Amino acid sequence: MNGTAASMHDDGVPRDKVKASQTFEGVQLLRGFAAMMVVFHHMCWVVTTYHPGQSAIATFRRLAEVGAGGVDVFFCISGLVIAHAARNLSAGAGSARTFAWRRLLRVLPPYWIFTGLLLLLWVTGIGLKGLNVTPGLVVASFLLIPWPKTTAAGAMSYHPILDVGWTLTFEMYFYAICTLVIALAGGRRIWPWTIAGLGVVATLSLLTAGSDGVASATLASPLLCEFIAGVLLARFVAGRVAPRAGRVLIVLGVAGFVASIFVRDPMAWRVLCWGIPGALLVAGAVLIPVRLDTRVSRLFGFLGTASYTIYLVHPFFTLIAGTLLKRGTMTQIPPDLLLIVLTIVAVAGSAISWFFVEGPLIRLLKPRSRTATLAKRSLGASTAPVTPDAPR
């Protein structure tokens, strides 16, 4: 084998690009796009609910609902990154404790801060005026435990006060199963024992609480299949480089999301309509080496870094937009134009807040972590590639 051939991967990809694939930069970009999808979904609801005009964009088939599929992409990414990042952890209580502690430090402090801020708006009478806030709801919200949440209008859900926090309940449950597996068998056994554990708990929940039980809504939810898909990608796809196959998977994933626009009720079939396409997108993002070496790519890379903050903060922008529209402000702006502007403003404003909350928290609580390195890169302090850390 000559020197040129030795420097190439099996499909003709240079080995320096193979190294680049280990940073999961493509997945980082996908995080940013997933966050923008969720923001678009919620802004569509605001505009269609409070604007007197009709948005052609928000009312086209099920386009507005497709944005909710960003959550499904996040779940697939979470399964991938957790299984990949924990693969070298040895079995034992110490490794499990370290893993669990790092997950809690990564997820809870920003969530608690923004939940507290939302509560402050309620206490001062600025926002959430129709929400029935009880001590039980407050405690359950901070602990991410499903709890009845009611409004003066009679609506009821089991979401926390910061509504988007419902997805974090799933994240914490997945982390708990992974922690148990690490304690008993080590990180490399997340595949297949986490999948088995999720299946056992789902079965027990259905047998004891029934399919309509509150516990089963999380413990036996079909959405857990998306975490499983991520675990499978970590086991069978991560570390491989196949740009052509990656591009095909991304095209198929995008096509799946586009096709779901024409499904009558994609939310009822979200694992099929969005979970499978989301897994295809994540797989494609893993297989394609990406370098964030241009201003545009670095910008979208930063949106990936700030995706968790964007997810937590954008409800404040939807709250402000809804309040202004109810007062008649901005109603003179064409609804489609307003939808685009509000989505951009919410994404940009939420991302900027990363510099004041999540970024400093990462560097304070986990100064030597891979996520902290990403934070420093976003602040311009480093340009070295990093390996993946905990999911947003």
Side-chain angles (χ1 to χ4, degrees):
M1 180 181 295
N2 60 38
T4 301
S7 67
M8 303 293 287
H9 192 262
D10 292 342
D11 62 358
V13 178
R15 290 195 180 277
D16 61 342
K17 289 190 176 182
V18 174
K19 292 180 181 179
S21 72
Q22 299 302 305
T23 67
F24 283 8
E25 300 287 21
V27 175
Q28 192 74 352
L29 294 175
L30 189 57
R31 275 187 173 126
F33 283 108
M36 288 188 284
M37 288 174 63
V38 176
V39 176
F40 170 76
H41 167 65
H42 289 143
M43 281 304 178
C44 282
W45 180 85
V46 169
V47 171
T48 55
T49 302
Y50 298 115
H51 196 288
Q54 182 176 13
S55 168
I57 296 175
T59 58
F60 177 74
R61 297 288 183 167
R62 300 297 179 182
L63 180 60
E65 292 184 41
V66 171
V71 167
D72 303 77
V73 176
F74 276 131
F75 284 170
C76 292
I77 292 175
S78 185
L80 163 73
V81 176
I82 283 297
H84 186 79
R87 69 194 185 282
N88 293 326
L89 293 178
S90 60
S95 295
R97 185 167 52 249
T98 299
F99 170 83
W101 182 242
R102 287 176 176 173
R103 296 307 111 236
L104 294 175
L105 285 180
R106 180 68 186 88
V107 173
L108 290 181
Y111 168 73
W112 283 343
I113 288 173
F114 293 119
T115 296
L117 180 57
L118 203 56
L119 275 173
L120 181 61
L121 295 180
W122 174 79
V123 169
T124 57
I126 297 176
L128 303 182
K129 297 178 181 179
L131 181 63
N132 298 322
V133 177
T134 64
L137 176 61
V138 173
V139 173
S141 293
F142 278 102
L143 296 179
L144 291 170
I145 298 173
W147 192 269
K149 181 175 72 172
T150 61
T151 67
M156 197 275 282
S157 74
Y158 287 92
H159 291 183
I161 292 172
L162 181 55
D163 203 75
V164 295
W166 71 268
T167 63
L168 301 183
T169 299
F170 283 88
E171 294 277 356
M172 287 299 170
Y173 171 50
F174 176 64
Y175 296 166
I177 296 292
C178 288
T179 300
L180 179 61
V181 170
I182 292 170
L184 297 177
R188 289 195 177 277
R189 300 301 182 185
I190 286 179
W191 156 263
W193 296 115
T194 292
I195 297 174
L198 291 172
V200 169
V201 174
T203 301
L204 292 175
S205 178
L206 290 173
L207 291 175
T208 57
S211 59
D212 296 329
V214 176
S216 295
T218 299
L219 303 181
S221 171
L223 290 174
L224 296 171
C225 294
E226 297 166 359
F227 290 95
I228 292 173
V231 172
L232 293 173
L233 291 177
R235 174 62 179 85
F236 297 106
V237 178
R240 302 177 185 273
V241 176
R244 283 189 289 272
R247 286 191 287 270
V248 171
L249 290 173
I250 288 177
V251 169
L252 291 175
V254 171
F257 274 105
V258 172
S260 72
I261 295 173
F262 302 95
V263 176
R264 177 173 297 180
D265 187 8
M267 192 73 74
W269 303 93
R270 67 182 301 161
V271 174
L272 295 176
C273 291
W274 303 329
I276 292 176
L280 293 174
L281 289 177
V282 175
V286 171
L287 290 173
I288 300 176
V290 174
R291 293 188 182 279
L292 305 183
D293 53 5
T294 66
R295 289 184 178 180
V296 173
S297 64
R298 285 194 294 270
L299 171 62
F300 283 100
F302 167 68
L303 292 180
T305 300
S307 59
Y308 185 41
T309 290
I310 294 172
Y311 184 72
L312 293 179
V313 174
H314 83 271
F316 291 90
F317 286 88
T318 61
L319 179 63
I320 293 170
T323 300
L324 292 176
L325 282 170
K326 284 189 287 185
R327 294 177 178 177
T329 307
M330 303 189 299
T331 54
Q332 70 277 13
I333 302 175
D336 287 323
L337 175 60
L338 182 63
L339 172 60
I340 295 171
V341 171
L342 288 176
T343 300
I344 294 174
V345 169
V347 170
S350 300
I352 290 172
S353 69
W354 178 91
F355 291 99
F356 303 100
V357 179
E358 188 186 0
L361 280 173
I362 290 172
R363 287 176 288 150
L364 174 66
L365 299 175
K366 300 174 62 179
R368 292 180 294 179
S369 71
R370 291 181 289 268
T371 307
T373 304
L374 277 172
K376 292 175 183 177
R377 290 176 62 194
S378 298
L379 295 171
S382 172
T383 57
V386 296
T387 51
D389 194 9
R392 299 321 185 255

